[in-house]
Amino acid sequence: MRLDIITCLPELFDGPINQSIVKRAQQKGLVEIHVHNLRDYSTNKHKNVDDYAFGGGAGMVLMIEPIDACISKLKSEREYQEVIYLTPDGETLNQGIANGLSMNENMILLCGHYKGVDQRVRDHFVTREISIGDYVLSGGELAAMVLADSLIRLVPGVLNDESSALTDSFQDNLLAPPVYTRPAEYKGWSVPDVLTSGHEANIEKWRHDEAVKRTQERRPDLLT
Ligand code: 6GU
């Protein structure tokens, strides 16, 4: 999977996506992440990428020209299945959307900032608009990192125990069951007996029952 991230704050991507699982996925050659500084595609001498909104009002709008220049250059080099714009008015990301998008080879993630991007970018370049929840972030960068992380861990070979993505919360519309590790007893708090019984079928049944119970208690909306 290759992700091309377009942003006017490329420094923000120095951290999370170069650590841990995502770092290993890149080192293994399973994933490529390329961050593009929108400013590098600005055509004016001040390297501006935003301007005042027509009609007035507070806040700057990202201009279409540098975005077009960047997207067009990328598209001339390879084919992209999606151009995703991260925006609070997009469809809310969930595991089903992540699973679907993880099948793609090449995707562009466009991060908005300030008051967003010129609507013509959305009308003519963007194929999908995604939000990560009903709250407002100061830009799409953190949302792009959340989306990238959710996709990368689904690429075959990225997780060491390949089956582990299948037992995540949400993967079957159930929250994940409780987990325990050693010691089996701590300050009188003990691990459920079934987990140390070695009885595979009973353990599976217990995990499923606990997942259903937890989902009923915390997220009944997932069961309907
Ligand atoms: Cl994708 N962008 C911004 N700015 N805020 C958000 C968001 C995205 N998703 C939730 N809040």
Side-chain angles (χ1 to χ4, degrees):
M1 176 187 291
R2 176 185 168 120
L3 299 176
D4 287 274
I5 301 174
I6 305 175
T7 173
C8 37
L9 291 169
E11 306 81 11
L12 282 179
F13 292 88
D14 291 344
I17 58 169
N18 291 312
Q19 297 295 326
S20 172
I21 290 173
V22 180
K23 179 183 183 179
R24 250 189 296 120
Q26 293 184 81
Q27 286 168 343
K28 284 195 210 167
L30 298 168
V31 168
E32 278 181 50
I33 299 171
H34 299 266
V35 179
H36 306 276
N37 188 350
L38 198 52
R39 224 164 272 284
D40 295 341
Y41 295 85
S42 173
T43 48
N44 67 48
K45 68 170 180 282
H46 303 292
K47 296 271 168 203
N48 289 335
V49 291
D50 57 0
D51 208 336
Y52 298 99
F54 279 128
M60 307 292 275
V61 176
L62 289 181
M63 298 187 291
I64 192 168
E65 278 176 283
I67 295 173
D68 183 8
C70 186
I71 291 177
S72 297
K73 176 179 178 284
L74 291 171
K75 282 184 172 173
S76 75
E77 293 164 348
R78 68 195 63 75
E79 207 170 306
Y80 288 90
Q81 288 79 46
E82 299 279 7
V83 177
I84 300 170
Y85 175 48
L86 284 308
T87 176
D89 56 5
E91 61 181 320
T92 309
L93 181 62
N94 59 36
Q95 194 60 46
I97 294 173
N99 290 347
L101 289 174
S102 74
M103 312 287 179
N104 291 325
E105 200 52 49
N106 303 316
M107 285 174 280
I108 293 173
L109 308 186
L110 174 63
C111 304
H113 227 249
Y114 317 107
K115 279 282 154 191
V117 301
D118 189 301
Q119 180 60 36
R120 290 166 292 186
V121 170
R122 302 170 70 164
D123 293 342
H124 301 288
F125 297 112
V126 170
T127 60
R128 194 124 186 206
E129 302 192 328
I130 289 179
S131 162
I132 62 164
D134 291 341
Y135 43 84
V136 181
L137 302 169
S138 42
E141 282 78 8
L142 287 169
M145 283 185 253
V146 167
L147 175 61
D149 189 288
S150 77
L151 299 181
I152 288 162
R153 59 191 300 290
L154 294 172
V155 172
V158 167
L159 296 185
N160 284 332
D161 178 1
E162 273 209 47
S163 69
S164 73
L166 299 174
T167 57
D168 288 339
S169 279
F170 301 113
Q171 205 53 267
D172 45 11
N173 262 342
L174 288 177
L175 300 181
V179 292
Y180 298 86
T181 187
R182 288 185 291 184
E185 176 108 11
Y186 183 71
K187 293 184 175 175
W189 305 322
S190 53
V191 169
D193 287 336
V194 59
L195 295 179
T196 53
S197 68
H199 193 303
E200 222 23 73
N202 286 355
I203 293 169
E204 270 319 295
K205 181 179 186 311
W206 181 87
R207 286 189 171 144
H208 184 260
D209 291 348
E210 290 294 318
V212 171
K213 194 160 78 181
R214 192 171 262 194
T215 310
Q216 265 159 357
E217 280 166 13
R218 299 179 178 207
R219 293 293 306 276
D221 56 297
L222 293 176
L223 296 170
T224 52

